[in-house]
Amino acid sequence: MVDAAPHRVAILVYDGVTLLDVAGPAEVFKEANRFGAGYRIVLLSPTGADVTSSLGVRIAVDGAVSSEPASDTLLVAGSDLYPRAPVPGELADAARTPAAVAGRVASICTGAFVLAAAGLLDGRRATTHWKVAHELAVRCPTCRVEPDAIYVRDGAVYTSAGVTAGIDLALALVEEDHGPDLAREVARALVVYMQRAGGQSQFSAPLQGPPPRSSALRRITDVVTANPGGNHSLGELAKHLNVSTRHLTRLFRDELSTTPARYVENIRFDMARALLDQGHTATQAATLAGFPSYESLRRVFARKLSISPAAYQRRFGTARRANAG
């Protein structure tokens, strides 16, 4: 039975907004209504004027932020614009004003930059898309950014990772309001996970760091990258430069902020992930990438991605393999 007083969900939109950041969560709340929830979804812009999404699709809004009653839930959608440029003052104000009276506030993907500009992430934990998590930490130095999280709750403020993670967050909000059974029905109807295993790292690109400044360390990293499966013990790597193991360890720490062993592991992990993407079994990937055993590869995957190599491969295998037969 639908509550007499609907739960008001306001989504803040603006020119350049990512359409999926708006449509994904809205569909979750709309679908929840089919199973007995009572959400009223409204789209608001800073001025009340319609906006144009990043795809060029025009979005009709229900009104201006200033002219609407308080929302139970305020969602701030993201955009590719504001990790690259400062958030305009009027947009930050458009988030700050309703947030002061909303029951809870949430951002989708890079909408976190709008919340940060509005001062709503100061001293809080938060997340955003893995590609721009570092930039968010720079913009909001008092915020503890968690780049691997799918979504983060800190009090009444929620933040989520890239685009489709807005669906994960909306499902979590529905579960908070109506319990797991109704949220599970919504997830089934939309054919999505109710709760994804692992964090954002499973979706991120392979590790790509700047090359070492010194030519000596570049020679070592080139050796490892060219043959990840080779013998790259600390002693063997030091022999390539005719330096002590202690000196080599210091070079890695000073220039790459890691150890030789962890650098080798990261390169092997990237290679194993690429091999899994290409269709090799987890055991084959472990061997070809230079891991001593499948178990050692599994432990690295668990530590870095919180899922097993097999689970990773099921998720990211090509459509060709999925439809083979």
Side-chain angles (χ1 to χ4, degrees):
M1 183 175 179
V2 176
D3 295 335
H7 181 116
R8 187 179 177 84
V9 178
I11 305 178
L12 177 62
V13 297
Y14 45 90
D15 285 330
V17 72
T18 300
L19 191 59
L20 188 55
D21 285 5
V22 180
E27 282 292 336
V28 170
F29 292 115
K30 186 266 299 179
E31 194 68 26
N33 286 343
R34 293 184 55 236
F35 295 99
Y39 294 107
R40 182 174 177 230
I41 305 160
V42 294
L43 302 183
L44 306 179
S45 69
T47 65
D50 293 348
V51 302
T52 303
S53 76
S54 58
L55 293 178
V57 176
R58 193 163 185 78
I59 300 175
V61 304
D62 298 289
V65 167
S66 59
S67 64
E68 291 293 313
S71 301
D72 298 291
T73 299
L74 171 68
L75 296 182
V76 180
S79 168
D80 290 339
L81 298 175
Y82 298 122
R84 302 196 304 263
V87 174
E90 60 270 22
L91 180 54
D93 290 342
R96 185 186 302 110
T97 301
V101 292
R104 61 191 177 196
V105 180
S107 64
I108 311 302
C109 193
T110 54
F113 285 81
V114 180
L115 294 191
L120 299 171
L121 298 185
D122 292 346
R124 295 185 182 275
R125 297 164 48 244
T127 193
T128 187
H129 194 287
W130 59 268
K131 279 188 174 180
V132 294
H134 175 72
E135 178 63 21
L136 180 63
V138 171
R139 299 263 188 107
C140 188
T142 66
C143 174
R144 192 165 90 240
V145 179
E146 300 183 6
D148 194 40
I150 297 296
Y151 63 84
V152 168
R153 175 185 180 181
D154 189 326
V157 177
Y158 302 70
T159 50
S160 62
V163 284
T164 58
I167 294 174
D168 297 81
L169 175 57
L171 282 168
L173 297 177
V174 169
E175 181 177 3
E176 186 176 290
D177 295 337
H178 298 283
D181 291 341
L182 190 146
R184 190 175 297 111
E185 290 297 330
V186 174
R188 286 172 175 160
L190 295 177
V191 198
V192 296
Y193 288 107
M194 184 168 171
Q195 183 174 350
R196 276 188 272 189
Q200 285 197 75
S201 298
Q202 61 189 296
F203 304 97
S204 63
L207 297 168
Q208 298 283 344
R213 295 187 303 274
S214 70
S215 60
L217 197 53
R218 278 200 300 274
R219 290 205 303 274
I220 292 297
T221 57
D222 287 347
V223 165
V224 176
T225 304
N227 181 24
N231 178 7
H232 300 313
S233 66
L234 181 57
E236 286 297 316
L237 291 178
K239 286 180 183 178
H240 282 285
L241 296 182
N242 195 28
V243 298
S244 69
T245 56
R246 185 175 179 180
H247 180 68
L248 182 62
T249 299
R250 188 182 306 114
L251 281 175
F252 269 88
R253 184 186 65 239
D254 292 346
E255 293 201 36
L256 299 178
S257 300
T258 189
T259 66
R262 186 52 56 89
Y263 180 84
V264 172
E265 179 186 87
N266 287 340
I267 294 297
R268 287 174 173 169
F269 168 75
D270 280 348
M271 182 178 183
R273 193 154 67 156
L275 289 165
L276 291 171
D277 290 342
Q278 294 165 18
H280 292 273
T281 67
T283 301
Q284 289 170 337
T287 301
L288 292 170
F291 285 93
S293 66
Y294 164 76
E295 180 58 27
S296 63
L297 174 63
R298 188 197 64 76
R299 285 196 298 269
V300 173
F301 261 74
R303 187 176 74 247
K304 290 180 176 292
L305 305 185
S306 301
I307 57 174
S308 69
Y312 171 87
Q313 190 171 48
R314 284 195 298 272
R315 246 168 238 191
F316 297 101
T318 67
R320 182 181 302 137
R321 288 202 307 279
N323 294 302

